[in-house]
Amino acid sequence: MSNPPYIPDAATPRDPEVRDHDPQLALFGGPDGLDQVRRWLDTAADLLGPGAALVMEHGDLQGGDDGVPGLLARHEDVQRRGPVWMDVADHLDLAGRSRYTTARRAPG
């Protein structure tokens, strides 16, 4: 389970408790907010065995093909020349906004 920094650098966090108290390093993840996610995918793949679950929180605008689900779905193992993640799914929060993605480590 991961809650990486995912706020785009030019954005302002909505919630005052986050904006006013959380460290910048824990919030901002590059121009589109996904720099840490991209770097983390290979590490997660190395740490998780086949079939292991991955759950990652992300911003409500980072679901879909251009966001975290798309990054996971396109992530390939260069040595095996195959997908690293399977059963990639985006999930909504109670307000109906895209908020987290799940996937399982592919066999191999």
Side-chain angles (χ1 to χ4, degrees):
M1 186 167 283
S2 175
N3 180 6
Y6 57 75
I7 299 173
D9 290 344
T12 301
R14 292 182 202 147
D15 300 325
E17 64 274 9
V18 171
R19 182 182 60 243
D20 299 339
H21 302 289
D22 286 2
Q24 303 285 308
L25 185 62
L27 299 176
F28 298 99
D32 66 355
L34 298 175
D35 285 357
Q36 294 299 322
V37 173
R38 287 184 192 92
R39 285 193 281 269
W40 185 75
L41 290 179
D42 286 326
T43 301
D46 289 342
L47 294 173
L48 296 174
L54 174 138
V55 180
M56 184 180 297
E57 183 180 1
H58 54 73
D60 57 354
L61 300 177
Q62 295 168 330
D65 290 339
D66 292 336
V68 173
L71 288 174
L72 287 165
R74 291 187 301 274
H75 189 220
E76 290 198 2
D77 184 324
V78 178
Q79 294 174 351
R80 284 190 315 115
R81 296 179 182 240
V84 174
W85 306 102
M86 59 189 201
D87 302 331
V88 176
D90 191 31
H91 301 274
L92 307 179
D93 64 13
L94 296 175
R97 299 176 300 188
S98 175
R99 290 302 292 165
Y100 71 98
T101 296
T102 58
R104 287 188 311 123
R105 179 70 165 93

